[in-house]
Amino acid sequence: SNPLGKMSGWIASYKFNVALDYVAHRASIIQTIDVVNPGPDTWTQIVVQLPTALRTEYFVLSGITIAEGSATYQKKNGLLIVNLPKKIPPNGAATLTFNYVHNAPKITFDTSAPLGNVGYNDNLIQFINWYPLLTPYRTGIGWQMLGETATEPLPADPIFTDVADYELNVSTAESVTVASGGASNHAGNQWKFSIKNARTIAFSASHKYQTLTQEGVTSYFLPEHANAGREVLNAAVQSFKLFSDRFGASPYSTLIVAENAYVVSAAASGIVLHSGKGYADYNGRPDSLLIALVPQSVSRLWWGQVVLGDSFAHPWLNEALPMYSEMIFYQTH
């Protein structure tokens, strides 16, 4: 059985074609969202969230189109309200296409989310909470206008999303390795990832990544952090087994843990983009930032990806379960 059953009648899929200019720290993206109206309501608009990285001058949206042509939209407190030229009846489908560019800013190991969710350092570039995504739709209530009253981004860049299918295609320089979750395929300068029944997708890319794999877990790290990369792999394998045992079957058959470019560790479906600062500062201690964040982040594949909490209304609940997971990791090992 799949622990991520789709919501009844809700069918959405995301596809990204990313042209990554690694040297210029810039990505040009064509994104499509296909969504079916589960009914019984009729849709006159579709509401999309803009995570924090999409609310700066580094993000340039050149347009949104739907089958009937260009779409009009309003921005409102981190939301894009897309007006449909034609109503979408129950079981009717809509396809939205977004054209945009990310000019990634340079970040440091002291940068913390949500700043730097899209950013680069001399060794890699990362894309976390980097795309427009549908807000959940609830029958009789409508599109969830979550965070409407928030004038500033909330801590950790909370987003709400129902499960969907994702396809990510990245073309970049042949010397660059791209890391993301799900099933992957790589030929030349083309990288393709697909993941079903997922809540989010994230990726990073580096011209220096090295890898080690053990029991379905792959660790991506910079060569100067090889020892840290091995220790992360061990801790991730232990966490993956422990939480599969305690919390139920993992939603993903494989797990990627890849070194990132800032201080925090971020989980998305099938991947953890792990604290670059943790790798840089690793001192061999089991209570170091590098190791402590592994069980926290891996547990978010359950708490946040399988089970979604309300990070606007109950942010501390979203943090409490990963903290509990860290505690049982240390109790067990």
Side-chain angles (χ1 to χ4, degrees):
S1 69
N2 191 324
L4 280 182
K6 279 190 174 163
M7 294 195 59
S8 174
W10 173 271
I11 305 166
S13 61
Y14 292 76
K15 182 176 180 179
F16 304 90
N17 286 324
V18 178
L20 176 61
D21 186 334
Y22 183 79
V23 174
H25 323 295
R26 173 186 170 96
S28 302
I29 298 150
I30 300 169
Q31 170 188 345
T32 57
I33 305 177
D34 289 304
V35 62
V36 173
N37 178 357
D41 308 329
T42 295
W43 289 351
T44 57
Q45 58 185 30
I46 290 176
V47 179
V48 174
Q49 299 162 77
L50 294 179
T52 305
L54 284 66
R55 304 185 208 175
T56 73
E57 70 277 14
Y58 296 106
F59 171 78
V60 182
L61 176 65
S62 58
I64 304 174
T65 56
I66 43 185
E68 287 78 17
S70 293
T72 60
Y73 57 91
Q74 293 89 40
K75 287 185 182 180
K76 181 182 178 186
N77 294 334
L79 298 173
L80 273 184
I81 299 166
V82 181
N83 305 305
L84 298 169
K86 195 171 79 178
K87 291 179 180 178
I88 297 179
N91 301 313
T95 300
L96 281 70
T97 302
F98 301 81
N99 270 276
Y100 54 95
V101 169
H102 275 298
N103 299 288
K106 187 155 194 181
I107 59 178
T108 72
F109 288 143
D110 293 320
T111 306
S112 190
L115 301 175
N117 280 350
V118 174
Y120 77 95
N121 64 18
D122 291 340
N123 295 314
L124 61 93
I125 189 167
Q126 63 190 32
F127 293 83
I128 299 159
N129 288 1
W130 58 280
Y131 56 92
L133 71 167
L134 297 168
T135 71
Y137 187 85
R138 297 294 178 258
T139 301
I141 300 169
W143 296 97
Q144 301 293 280
M145 301 293 219
L146 297 156
E148 256 195 313
T149 55
T151 53
E152 294 292 327
L154 293 169
D157 203 19
I159 56 174
F160 277 81
T161 174
D162 283 326
V163 294
D165 294 341
Y166 284 87
E167 182 183 310
L168 169 64
N169 301 300
V170 181
S171 60
T172 189
E174 284 214 21
S175 58
V176 172
T177 297
V178 181
S180 187
S184 64
N185 213 297
H186 165 228
N189 68 345
Q190 302 287 330
W191 298 78
K192 181 175 180 175
F193 304 89
S194 57
I195 192 159
K196 294 196 177 301
N197 286 357
R199 291 199 190 271
T200 54
I201 196 165
F203 72 99
S204 60
S206 172
H207 63 297
K208 292 175 72 175
Y209 271 151
Q210 295 184 348
T211 63
L212 285 171
T213 299
Q214 184 183 322
E215 298 180 57
V217 181
T218 302
S219 173
Y220 287 72
F221 50 88
L222 301 177
E224 56 266 38
H225 300 147
N227 184 44
R230 273 190 297 273
E231 293 303 322
V232 164
L233 179 61
N234 291 335
V237 168
Q238 290 169 347
S239 299
F240 206 53
K241 282 181 177 169
L242 175 65
F243 303 148
S244 296
D245 181 46
R246 296 288 181 93
F247 305 149
S250 162
Y252 315 106
S253 56
T254 58
L255 171 63
I256 303 295
V257 184
E259 179 173 348
N260 73 26
Y262 60 5
V263 67
V264 295
S265 186
S269 297
I271 188 169
V272 170
L273 290 172
H274 199 51
S275 169
K277 183 176 178 64
Y279 289 82
D281 292 352
Y282 183 54
N283 56 13
R285 290 172 55 104
D287 62 350
S288 65
L289 178 73
L290 180 79
I291 303 304
L293 285 178
V294 171
Q296 264 203 47
S297 305
V298 171
S299 79
R300 291 179 193 275
L301 301 177
W302 281 263
W303 312 122
Q305 297 289 325
V306 178
V307 179
L308 184 66
D310 183 338
S311 45
F312 284 97
H314 309 120
W316 304 116
L317 181 61
N318 274 27
E319 297 309 309
L321 287 162
M323 293 294 285
Y324 167 73
S325 303
E326 181 190 338
M327 184 186 77
I328 63 171
F329 171 84
Y330 279 111
Q331 285 176 342
T332 313
H333 297 95

